[in-house]
């Protein structure tokens, strides 16, 4: 194999699909108008391009294009959804429910609301990473105004039963926000069937550009109202002011169009690669365990514990492969992953765990090479650890 590094960190970000780049390039030089300019054809052309992209994005989640509010990504979409819904509904209650395994963009946003007088329940998950629906139901109070649940987990790939949660929310009249940054374009989503009121998407997790995403905001049954968190020219129905980045939006739209066209085939291919990867490792190594449900899981994700070794040493020994320990590095210490801790791993097991994210551009040859390299490296590290 050449010196090319194999990219297996598709939960961190994805490469931009060349077809997406091709759609974006002419926008920078030819269609550079401001989509809010109403007085000339540059503005009209930009607005039309944005409208087309909005349609592609809406189609992928079965939403109307008017329900798509562009943001800088899923972090901002999560902030707008949670802070916006909380402040808007303050008179109805101050209680919000979420999970301990959410992305930091949800956890830290909820934490910030505690300082405004909101009360947050951070629910445990079961050992397979999935929420216990009975526990969720019994945590609902009369003051509960919002439930925010991640769809596909970014570390362990576990898929939460959002349709069941949506049904529960509807029956109680509680708003339902879903962080779907990892799942949109990978598994099918229907915001009506799933009872979702607010849904966060990020383009760079689905072969689109970084710096763009959106929040789906339901407009009927019920009409969801939010308080804006960014103020200015009143763009995006007043929910998110700021000049629209038309090239990024066009790329985002094209990324959605491609996902919709190829999702079924692609998921099957990626699932096959993942199984080939796991079977290959299990054939060559013992004492490996999969973290999180294998049944309810994003096609490309594998989070594995290689007992009697540690993730950092694996990363250092495998510089020809890009993957991640999934642990948050702060300047001084490396903390064990809070997601792995939440599903019952010890610190030691968490430190022995790594995340692989297989994506659109990976090949069987790359998987076979990676299996070989990992087996050699883990055997070597385990030998060193024993002696
Ligand atoms: C990547 C990610 C985010 C943040 O998205 P950005 O667009 O990078 O801000 C939020 N939630 C989940 C689950 C993610 O995977």
């Amino acid at each position: 194999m050449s010196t090319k590094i194999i990219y297996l960190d598709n939960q961190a970000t994805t490469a931009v699909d060349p077809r997406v780049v091709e759609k974006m390039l002419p926008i920078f030089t030819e269609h550079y108008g401001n989509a809010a300019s109403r007085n000339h054809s540059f503005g009209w052309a930009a607005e039309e391009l944005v409208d087309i992209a909005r349609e592609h994005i809406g189609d992928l989640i079965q939403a109307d294009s008017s329900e798509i509010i562009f943001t800088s990504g899923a972090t901002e979409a999560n902030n707008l959804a949670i802070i916006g819904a909380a402040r808007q509904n303050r008179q109805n209650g101050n209680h919000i429910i979420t999970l301990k395994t959410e992305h930091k963009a949800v956890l830290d946003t909820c934490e910030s609301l505690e300082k405004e007088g909101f009360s947050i329940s951070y629910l445990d998950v079961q050992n397979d990473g999935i929420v216990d629906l009975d526990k969720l139901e019994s945590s609902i109070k009369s003051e509960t105004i919002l439930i925010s649940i991640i769809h596909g987990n970014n570390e362990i790939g576990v898929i939460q039963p959002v349709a069941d949660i949506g049904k529960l929310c509807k029956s109680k009249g509680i708003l339902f926000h879903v962080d779907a940054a990892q799942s949109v374009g990978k598994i099918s989503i229907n915001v009506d069937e799933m009872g979702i009121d607010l849904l966060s998407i990020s383009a760079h997790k689905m072969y689109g550009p970084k710096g763009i995403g959106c929040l789906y905001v339901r407009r009927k049954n019920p009409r969801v109202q939010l308080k804006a968190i960014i103020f200015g020219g009143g763009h995006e129905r007043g929910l998110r002011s700021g000049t629209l980045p038309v090239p990024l939006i066009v790329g985002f739209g094209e990324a959605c169009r491609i996902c919709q066209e190829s999702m079924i085939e692609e998921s099957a291919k990626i699932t096959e690669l993942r199984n080939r990867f796991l079977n290959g490792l299990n054939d060559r190594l013992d004492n490996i365990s999969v973290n999180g449900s294998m049944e309810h899981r994003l096609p490309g994700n594998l989070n594995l514990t290689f007992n009697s070794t540690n993730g950092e040493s694996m990363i250092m020994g495998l510089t020809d492969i890009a993957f991640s320990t999934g642990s948050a590095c702060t300047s001084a210490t490396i903390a064990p992953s809070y997601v792995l801790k939440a599903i019952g791993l010890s610190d030691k097991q968490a430190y022995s765990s790594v995340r692989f994210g297989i994506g659109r551009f990976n090949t069987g040859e790359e998987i076979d090479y990676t299996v070989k390299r990992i087996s050699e490296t883990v055997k070597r590290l385990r030998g060193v650890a024993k002696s």
Side-chain angles (χ1 to χ4, degrees):
M1 181 114 351
S2 68
T3 53
K4 189 174 155 264
I5 297 172
I6 296 172
Y7 188 72
L8 286 175
D9 204 8
N10 283 280
Q11 262 86 64
T13 193
T14 54
V16 183
D17 191 300
R19 292 167 289 181
V20 169
V21 176
E22 197 183 319
K23 280 271 178 196
M24 289 173 66
L25 286 178
I27 317 293
F28 290 101
T29 49
E30 290 165 37
H31 306 293
Y32 48 79
N34 186 324
S37 292
R38 292 286 144 83
N39 302 318
H40 50 69
S41 61
F42 288 89
W44 305 331
E47 190 185 23
E48 196 177 319
L49 288 163
V50 168
D51 287 345
I52 295 167
R54 228 187 267 279
E55 293 281 345
H56 290 323
I57 299 159
D59 285 349
L60 186 56
I61 58 169
Q62 308 292 310
D64 189 80
S65 62
S66 66
E67 299 174 305
I68 302 300
I69 302 296
F70 288 112
T71 64
S72 59
T75 298
E76 189 193 327
N78 287 342
N79 273 262
L80 174 59
I82 296 169
I83 298 175
R87 290 183 183 160
Q88 174 70 33
N89 293 285
R90 184 67 183 84
Q91 74 283 0
N92 302 324
N94 72 336
H95 183 235
I96 296 170
I97 301 170
T98 190
L99 300 181
K100 284 190 177 157
T101 52
E102 295 289 318
H103 191 274
K104 282 287 183 190
V106 165
L107 292 175
D108 289 1
T109 301
C110 286
E111 206 174 294
S112 83
L113 284 173
E114 292 185 50
K115 294 177 197 102
E116 290 182 29
F118 289 92
S119 152
I120 320 285
S121 297
Y122 302 94
L123 298 190
D124 287 314
V125 293
Q126 304 170 108
N127 284 346
D128 61 0
I130 294 174
V131 64
D132 178 332
L133 289 171
D134 293 330
K135 260 197 197 151
L136 177 65
E137 183 161 6
S138 60
S139 71
I140 295 174
K141 310 176 196 180
S142 58
E143 301 82 36
T144 308
I145 50 173
L146 175 70
I147 295 182
S148 180
I149 303 285
I150 191 167
H151 192 198
N153 187 276
N154 48 298
E155 282 192 41
I156 55 177
V158 163
I159 297 168
Q160 299 294 347
V162 291
D164 295 330
I165 302 168
K167 209 175 283 166
L168 178 63
C169 288
K170 281 279 155 303
S171 74
K172 307 265 183 188
I174 297 168
L175 287 177
F176 184 30
H177 167 246
V178 174
D179 178 353
Q182 292 289 344
S183 57
V184 171
K186 322 285 170 56
I187 56 179
S188 92
I189 294 178
N190 182 322
V191 288
D192 286 331
E193 281 176 10
M194 292 173 160
I196 298 168
D197 298 310
L198 298 157
L199 181 124
S200 303
I201 311 180
S202 176
H204 77 89
K205 304 287 176 64
M206 48 184 294
Y207 313 99
K210 291 166 187 61
I212 188 72
C214 72
L215 181 67
Y216 155 79
V217 181
R218 173 173 292 284
R219 288 192 81 174
K220 54 175 198 274
N221 308 315
R223 182 181 179 86
V224 176
Q225 310 247 43
L226 300 175
K227 286 254 192 279
I229 57 174
I230 289 177
F231 304 93
H235 308 75
E236 301 296 274
R237 297 196 281 122
L239 285 175
R240 206 286 194 167
S241 288
T243 301
L244 292 177
V246 181
L248 299 181
I249 288 171
V250 166
F252 184 15
E254 180 66 3
C256 287
R257 194 195 61 74
I258 294 169
C259 282
Q260 182 148 35
E261 186 180 82
S262 55
M263 190 159 60
I264 293 172
E265 246 172 85
E266 185 167 291
S267 288
K269 181 202 122 177
I270 290 174
T271 302
E272 206 176 291
L273 288 178
R274 183 186 69 192
N275 294 342
R276 178 164 165 173
F277 188 31
L278 185 58
N279 293 338
L281 289 173
N282 277 324
D283 285 347
R284 287 169 184 76
L285 293 167
D286 47 26
N287 229 344
I288 310 175
S289 48
V290 178
N291 297 312
S293 168
M294 206 55 203
E295 189 188 345
H296 303 284
R297 194 181 196 93
L298 294 169
N301 174 277
L302 264 184
N303 190 304
L304 300 173
T305 303
F306 293 86
N307 290 297
S308 312
T309 172
N310 81 70
E312 291 300 325
S313 309
M314 284 182 67
I315 300 266
M316 282 191 282
L318 289 160
T319 50
D320 47 350
I321 302 160
F323 61 110
S324 111
T325 54
S327 54
C329 301
T330 61
S331 51
T333 57
I334 301 163
S337 151
Y338 64 89
V339 173
L340 296 179
K341 296 283 285 177
I343 60 169
L345 270 68
S346 66
D347 281 8
K348 193 165 179 236
Q349 287 169 320
Y351 284 127
S352 305
S353 303
V354 290
R355 176 186 71 181
F356 298 96
I358 301 166
R360 177 176 293 166
F361 304 112
N362 290 122
T363 63
E365 193 193 5
E366 288 180 329
I367 297 300
D368 294 343
Y369 174 80
T370 302
V371 165
K372 181 173 137 284
R373 289 281 293 122
I374 290 174
S375 322
E376 292 164 4
T377 306
V378 169
K379 279 180 185 158
R380 179 172 58 77
L381 290 171
R382 283 176 175 172
V384 172
K386 268 184 215 115
S387 60

